[in-house]
Amino acid sequence: MRQFASRYESVRSVAVKRLLGRVGFATVVLLAAAQTADAHIVASRLGDFYAGALHPLTDLQDGVLWTALGLLAGSLGATHGRWLVLVLPPGLLLGLSVGLSVGSTWIAPLASAAMMVVLGLLVALGLRINVAALCVIALVLAFMRGVVNAGGAGAATDRVLFGAGLAMCGYAFIALITALTIAFRRLDAQPSGTWRDIAIRACGSWITAIGLIAGGFALAS
Amino acid sequence: MTQNVRVTTPHAPATRRPRLPRSALLPGLLAMAETAFAHEQQGVPAGLASGFLHPLTGLDHLAAMVAVGLWGAQLGAPAIWILPITFPLVMAVGGVLGVLGIGLPIPEIVIALSALVLGGAVAARLRLPFAIAAVVVGVFAIFHGHAHGAELPKSADPLAYGVGFVVATGLLHLCGISIGTLSRSPAGGRLIQGLGASIAVLGCYFLMRSFGGPS
């Protein structure tokens, strides 16, 4: 009886392994045959919301500048960072409305490059600025990027949805970068001056370098 | 006591169905393959790729950047942490000069010298005062940045190119510093000195080439 039970268990184990192997192989085949999923509802009215949210993510200037601002706020601490999520979205909306009214081409690439240099230097040098100064910088930056992003809205674009998408994207982006920087620094666990601080300051240096080169290109062209 | 019992199904059928070998599905998978977009792209992707690959594909740049990281790790604090912060800045100044078309004297020779000097410093465990070491590295950084700026592909997005090459350079420094931490052990220290000597030999080769020697 015991031998029969042992044999039955072995047979079942072999069968299960074989079944799992077949399922795994079928999964690999299905994944290999996967096509692009057209899951976005861009054809509906909400497409303008996604257009507003995705437009800054397709531009490296927004990515670099928002990252720099998030790094700066995160390196200054959570007290500073909390203000940023309140200031940035309204600044973006203000800039967007101005850009939609008077055009978006008057913000020169040199201004964006200069902003990269300023933000990068503040991070690289580890300078501590007060909350008011950070808010002013964030407001100026958000206004500039709002104006530039207005160029992505066409005549038929729903401006409210586009603006909502842009503001939501800015809010999420800056909140994430600031939170990640604060978590990375681990000020509660380690004193300042550790390799984590140096890594953040090195990122600031990289952003300054990118800004300098972008400024050079702007001057050359 | 263990027994090697051959497991058989109690109710196994007398004849087995012929099974299709799994390898037979391979042609089917290959038939389902889609177009590979392997051609060089334009704009931002091209800029990022060109900028990122430029310091990695040029052996002279790669050797010098790694040597900077190794030397910084050998020198210890404060060089090891000031280096990754200041080097990209100084290099970017050189990059701006290159973009603006402002020429520097004998750039190829200085870039070749950078591998020779920095590799030699690592090989000899040269411990210069920090200020002098910073000036030496800074001068070489300007020339390397100038080369990056001057060789920008016309099709590339300038900002993306800048992002690519700054990030690649920073990662090369990080690579050098990480390898340089081996210098804490005697065997690791000798290994790094050997690496430095190899870089110096490469520098000699680049120097000969820049003077019109064998290519």
Side-chain angles (χ1 to χ4, degrees), chain A residues 111-216:
Chain A
S112 295
M115 191 57 96
M116 281 182 211
V117 172
V118 170
L119 288 171
L121 275 179
L122 285 171
V123 176
L125 297 175
L127 293 179
R128 293 200 65 82
I129 57 173
N130 57 31
V131 174
L134 179 68
C135 288
V136 169
I137 291 173
L139 201 59
V140 171
L141 173 65
F143 179 81
M144 281 170 52
R145 298 319 300 168
V147 171
V148 172
N149 275 287
T157 305
D158 186 314
R159 296 177 173 192
V160 175
L161 284 175
F162 189 89
L166 179 66
M168 189 64 73
C169 178
Y171 170 81
F173 196 102
I174 210 73
L176 274 175
I177 298 293
T178 306
L180 283 173
T181 308
I182 291 169
F184 179 75
R185 284 189 70 201
R186 292 173 58 184
L187 271 182
D188 52 339
Q190 294 178 351
S192 61
T194 61
W195 69 269
R196 293 170 186 271
D197 282 321
I198 293 162
I200 291 170
R201 290 174 66 179
C203 287
S205 159
W206 290 11
I207 289 166
T208 310
I210 291 165
L212 281 173
I213 293 163

Side-chain angles (χ1 to χ4, degrees), chain B residues 59-168:
Chain B
L59 195 56
D60 46 356
H61 291 293
L62 189 144
M65 297 302 109
V66 173
V68 167
L70 291 174
W71 199 27
Q74 274 186 342
L75 290 173
I80 194 168
W81 60 267
I82 288 183
L83 180 77
I85 295 174
T86 53
F87 192 95
L89 292 176
V90 183
M91 197 182 67
V93 172
V96 171
L97 295 178
V99 167
L100 294 176
I102 299 170
L104 291 177
I106 51 171
E108 287 298 321
I109 292 174
V110 177
I111 287 174
L113 265 177
S114 69
L116 176 60
V117 170
L118 293 170
V122 173
R125 290 188 73 96
L126 193 62
R127 299 196 72 85
L128 291 177
F130 174 69
I132 297 175
V135 169
V136 169
V137 171
V139 169
F140 290 144
I142 287 177
F143 277 82
H144 280 273
H146 185 272
H148 291 308
E151 294 172 14
L152 168 74
K154 298 296 177 200
S155 63
D157 180 273
L159 181 64
Y161 182 85
V163 170
F165 104 72
V166 168
V167 169

